Amino acid sequence: MENEVPLSGGRITPGVVRVGRTVRRPATASSSFVAELLGELQREGFTGAPRHLGFDTAGREILSYLPGWVPARFQRWTDPQVAAAGSLLRSFHDATRGSRLAGRHPVVCHHDPGPNNTVFADGVPAAFIDFDTAAPGDPMEDLGYMVWTWCISSQHTAPPATVQAAQVRVLADAYGLDAASRSRLVDAALDRQIRNARWWRSHLARPSPRVADEHEIAGRIRWSEQEHAYTWANRKTFDAALD
């Protein structure tokens, strides 16, 4: 077998490696759904996701390798990059809208479409990876998370809320969000921040091995709560940009 090169990008699934022009990932409880989803995306002509190529003799998923860059950390992005991310998310949702996999829900959501799960090609978001948390849902679940992780930041080095709010509008425009949904967008971001803190907190009560050590988990909880407090304090600014 060709050499295995460890890959980074996603924070949750360990043991992801590149083998030639493929990626091998440990199978999870969601592997069957992911295989069906990636097959459906391919049939619909959506190119912003890897292809599922089956399983290897070790039981790992085999995915096509997508060349490009996956950011290791959140950072500030340009308006064109944010717009490209919003357009990519809309294309993904549209490819699943009304499908059997979406069931009674409007679409299949990625549920973690942050920069760390996005492949950049020539500096522009081109594809999503790590579909382990994909499931039927409401588009606002993904949009709320994307607004937060691509546009909003409580860091002292981040630009003022007015600048961040303008970028929230860039994302909403690129996605093609209607007026009724725009009025729910900030609430969707706040909800994802609280859910993220709750998700990490639930792992503190789980036996080892955990997805991260207690110190890192505690840090992610504090960060999520800090981001929620910042978004809440500036929600009028974010809402006003979406009018």
Side-chain angles (χ1 to χ4, degrees):
M1 178 179 288
E2 297 179 74
N3 291 336
E4 297 188 356
V5 180
L7 295 176
S8 60
R11 294 193 301 262
I12 305 304
T13 306
V16 181
V17 299
R18 178 183 177 184
V19 181
R21 295 183 180 181
T22 69
V23 172
R24 312 295 172 99
R25 305 180 82 252
T28 68
S30 63
S31 291
S32 295
F33 182 84
V34 172
E36 289 189 64
L37 173 60
L38 296 182
E40 179 71 16
L41 293 176
Q42 182 180 353
R43 287 188 292 274
E44 289 295 317
F46 178 71
T47 59
R51 294 185 179 182
H52 198 282
L53 305 175
F55 297 85
D56 66 15
T57 55
R60 299 177 298 183
E61 293 182 83
I62 306 175
L63 306 171
S64 61
Y65 173 74
L66 301 177
W69 170 60
V70 179
R73 304 180 65 87
F74 291 168
Q75 61 187 65
R76 293 302 303 169
W77 306 103
T78 66
D79 286 357
Q81 288 171 323
V82 169
S87 296
L88 182 65
L89 185 65
R90 178 58 184 261
S91 295
F92 166 62
H93 285 166
D94 285 348
T96 69
R97 199 177 302 275
S99 68
R100 178 183 60 82
L101 293 177
R104 297 181 180 180
H105 296 267
V107 300
V108 173
C109 289
H110 184 286
H111 282 131
D112 195 6
N116 58 300
N117 281 327
T118 303
V119 177
F120 285 64
D122 297 323
V124 177
F128 294 126
I129 57 172
D130 203 349
F131 287 82
D132 282 355
T133 57
D138 186 304
M140 297 303 291
E141 296 179 71
D142 275 349
L143 276 162
Y145 191 79
M146 182 171 273
V147 160
W148 170 29
T149 57
W150 288 82
C151 307
I152 296 176
S153 174
S154 63
Q155 297 295 320
H156 71 278
T157 55
T162 52
V163 175
Q164 297 182 33
Q167 206 161 62
V168 170
R169 178 167 189 139
V170 168
L171 193 152
D173 289 346
Y175 184 88
L177 202 60
D178 58 52
S181 296
R182 284 172 187 254
S183 67
R184 299 166 47 211
L185 188 53
V186 179
D187 282 330
L190 288 164
D191 178 64
R192 287 307 308 265
Q193 290 163 344
I194 286 297
R195 286 168 57 186
N196 199 63
R198 187 183 304 131
W199 187 88
W200 281 107
R201 190 174 285 109
S202 72
H203 282 271
L204 286 175
R206 298 185 184 183
S208 297
R210 300 189 179 105
V211 295
D213 62 38
E214 289 193 12
H215 177 75
E216 184 176 356
I217 291 174
R220 294 190 186 282
I221 294 170
R222 286 195 302 271
W223 170 66
S224 299
E225 292 175 341
Q226 177 180 313
E227 294 282 286
H228 181 272
Y230 175 84
T231 305
W232 179 263
N234 292 281
R235 70 165 304 154
K236 289 184 178 179
T237 300
F238 294 125
D239 280 330
L242 292 163
D243 288 340

